[in-house]
Every structure is written in structure tokens, then in C-alpha cells.
Amino acid sequence: SFASGDVERENEFDRHLLVKSEKLKTEKLNPSRARTKSGDGDYFGFSFAARGLNWGNLKRVEIFCPAKLNLFLAITGRRGNGFHELVSVAAQIDAGDRLAAQLLDENEFRLRCDNPIVPVDDSNLVLRAANLFRERSGWDRGVAFELQKVTPMGAGLGGGSSDAVGTLKALNSLADEPFTFSDLQEMAAELGSDCPLFFEAGPAVMRGRGEQLERLNERVASRLVGRDVLVVKPPFGVNTAWAYGRLAAHDPDDYLPADRAERRLADWIGEEKRPAEELGFNSFERPIGAKFVALPTLAKLTASKFERTLNLSGSGSACYVWIRDLNEREAITALVRECWGPEAWIISAKIAGSRA
């Protein structure tokens, strides 16, 4: 921490996925598309409230794009190509963006967002993902995307990556599933190193650039899933490329060697009584805290007033605190407002996933 210095892949896609069709027809379900038991429920990643949907009539898809937290993040070194190696435990939370995808008669992609500071041109990962999908599939239908933005930018919460994965899922359903689950994962990895995480339904260990995933077993994940967190972000963001540059500038002091990172993680996994609070570590905290003193200042106050640790997520600037009860949540929220002002972003959430 700054102060110390230091979702069951129930359908292989997204447990929060909600699909709506504008023209429901009570026709026989195409059995080749169903990947689960008959009846109401989940069909290859889509939760239907009724039977008899004809896949050919699917015109609109709405998807939840969750934010993520890095509960442990060790940057272990830098590759010759400039990419960094890491070991991380990351988990989705039950807060994030909403993405709607509506089929159009023409063949262009359009994007609207309710947050005016979010770019809606081809620099946005929604349209980058859509263009990649078109390039790989040859599917030429147009789609209007509407993004309800909750996850802030420059926060280290994976908002753009989650939106990109949501886009791939939405287009795959609208195009009648030309790609397998593995195909979509591979495409997502091209868009961002942390994109593959958003195909998981529970906490996972990330390695390599972040694209190598290993799900935590249910007993270990149960120490995290369902836990309450308060996620906060100051009125400023942190540029990810700049943050990695700061690490590289202090090589090797700010890196945690891979063997030490793996040993530290293995120790926490192996000791069943160690709570989530003892997992926290982030290689970015020292270099980020040295530049943005508002972060360690709040961390010290949180520790002294509440005996709680403020943890950095990703390269920041968002942080999180494990919360014990409502009174603590309200008190820490008030402290954040006092320190960072009314422009601070604050949200209460739970770690997503299935319980053992």
C-alpha cells in the first residue's frame, strides 16, 4: 500500500449479459445455437427471459461491461520489445459501463456516449473492436453503439478494455456467432493486454503481458468474491504509458522479480486463513505516489483514522479499500470528499464471481 510502502464461467462469456430482441417471435429455437439445457436460462452467453427466440431476428443487444480491480500487481520486468511482464490477481466488480448495439440498415459503425469527454471516433476501443471484428469476419452490417459510461478513464479499472470485449460479444451475437469463444479471446488480446480478463467469470491470475490467465480455484476465490470494496478516483487520471515509463526509468528498483512475485502470491493462496486485505501489492504505488502526492496522503489518513489500506488498481489513479460495514463506507467516503473534493469519483461495489 501507499501507507506501508510496499464472475463460474457459467456461459463462457459474461454472467451480466442481457440480450433483448426488438422483434420476439415464438418460433422453435435453433438447437444448433443452444449451448445449455432447454428452457428459460442461458444460451451460449445470453440470458433470455423467454423461450422461442429466433436468432435471426436479434436486432439489439445490451451488455454490461464491468470494471476490474488489480488486487495484486507485480511488474516483474521489461521485454526487449518494450512490453512489460507482470503477475497479477485481477477481478471484475459489479459496477461498470453499459453498451447497447443496434443493427442498422446501412453498413457503418456509429458510437454515441453519454459522457462528452469520451472520444467517439476510431480511437475509442468500441470502434476499434468493431473494425477488427469486421476485418476478421467479413460481416458488413452497420451497428449503432450507445455507451453509458460509468468507469472513468485514466483510472486503471480497465473500462476501455471491458467496452472492447463487450463490443466483440455484441457483434458476435448480432452476426449469428461466426466466432468461437477462443476466437474472440484471441481478437481481444490484440486490442489490449487486459482484455482477456473480461471473458472470465471470477478472479484470475494474469501473467505475461496480462493475456495469460489462470482462474483461481473456488476455495481461494471465495476469499474475494462478494467482498465489499469502495472504489475511489481523484479528479485526475494517470497515463498508462507514462506510468510504465517511470518504472523503466528506475529499473530494476521498481520491478519485483518474477520468482519473488510468484512466491508472494503462492504464500497467500496457500494460507487459507489469510484474508483479501493481505493480498494487496502494486508495483506502481511508489513511482505513482511520488508524482501524485494526493494518493499517499489519502492512504496515510485512511490508515490512521480507520486502520484500512488504500490500494492502487492498475497504474491508477483509482484506488480501492476493503469495506467492513456501512458506517465505515460512509466515513471513508466523507474522508475522500474532504481530501479530493466534490469531483472525486466514488462507487461502492462487490467483487464479482461465483462462491465455492
Side-chain angles (χ1 to χ4, degrees), residues 38-347:
S38 60
D40 294 353
D42 299 323
Y43 294 89
F44 199 24
F46 302 99
S47 300
F48 294 102
R51 299 178 63 185
L53 277 178
N54 185 316
W55 285 84
N57 291 321
L58 192 61
K59 304 296 183 184
R60 179 180 173 89
V61 177
E62 295 182 3
I63 296 181
F64 174 64
C65 303
K68 61 84 178 169
L69 294 175
N70 293 98
L71 309 177
F72 174 87
L73 177 57
I75 308 300
T76 60
R78 190 183 188 191
R79 298 177 179 177
N81 61 7
F83 286 106
H84 282 77
E85 296 274 354
L86 59 83
V87 177
S88 178
V89 174
Q92 299 172 37
I93 60 175
D94 63 354
D97 300 341
R98 295 276 176 178
L99 180 69
Q102 172 76 49
L103 276 179
L104 298 175
D105 292 332
E106 56 266 37
N107 63 358
E108 66 177 340
F109 293 132
R110 304 174 186 169
L111 173 62
R112 293 194 304 176
C113 182
D114 62 350
N115 187 332
I117 72 171
V118 175
V120 293
D121 58 15
D122 284 346
S123 67
N124 191 293
L125 276 165
V126 169
L127 293 183
R128 287 175 57 190
N131 289 325
L132 180 61
F133 184 92
R134 171 167 288 171
E135 175 187 320
R136 298 296 168 81
S137 66
W139 189 68
D140 63 356
R141 294 294 301 273
V143 175
F145 297 100
E146 295 182 9
L147 181 62
Q148 295 180 4
K149 196 67 180 162
V150 172
T151 307
M153 298 185 295
L157 299 176
S161 295
S162 187
D163 295 342
V165 171
T167 301
L168 294 177
K169 295 173 183 177
L171 293 178
N172 204 50
S173 68
L174 292 173
D176 202 18
E177 296 177 13
F179 295 116
T180 66
F181 174 78
S182 296
D183 292 335
L184 293 179
Q185 279 187 310
E186 291 178 8
M187 277 192 285
E190 296 181 35
L191 295 165
S193 297
D194 58 350
C195 283
L197 173 70
F198 296 100
F199 290 94
E200 294 294 328
V205 180
M206 305 168 68
R207 295 184 174 90
R209 294 187 296 110
E211 81 284 5
Q212 301 171 22
L213 295 176
E214 177 188 353
R215 287 190 61 191
L216 291 177
N217 69 57
E218 289 188 350
R219 292 190 66 179
V220 175
S222 67
R223 290 187 242 166
L224 306 172
V225 173
R227 285 292 307 273
D228 291 300
V229 288
L230 188 69
V231 188
V232 300
K233 177 188 174 295
F236 56 85
V238 174
N239 180 277
T240 301
W242 175 87
Y244 274 103
R246 294 285 288 187
L247 283 178
H250 294 90
D251 180 12
D253 294 344
D254 286 341
Y255 295 137
L256 183 66
D259 59 340
R260 290 176 55 192
E262 293 287 0
R263 185 165 60 249
R264 184 166 183 157
L265 177 58
D267 287 346
W268 181 83
I269 290 175
E271 298 180 27
E272 294 187 2
K273 294 185 178 180
R274 292 184 65 181
E277 286 83 348
E278 294 186 14
L279 181 59
F281 174 82
N282 191 317
S283 294
F284 285 108
E285 287 187 351
R286 195 199 69 80
I288 297 300
K291 170 72 174 179
F292 301 100
V293 295
L295 301 176
T297 299
L298 178 63
K300 290 176 182 178
L301 289 171
T302 304
S304 63
K305 291 178 177 290
F306 305 103
E307 297 183 346
R308 305 303 282 169
T309 301
L310 185 74
N311 303 280
L312 188 71
S313 180
S315 58
S317 59
C319 305
Y320 64 93
V321 180
W322 298 102
I323 295 297
R324 289 172 286 207
D325 54 49
L326 177 61
N327 290 336
E328 184 174 74
R329 183 181 71 191
E330 292 178 345
I332 295 177
T333 296
L335 175 64
V336 174
R337 293 291 184 206
E338 180 183 349
C339 291
W340 290 352
E343 298 302 314
W345 180 86
I346 304 174
I347 196 165

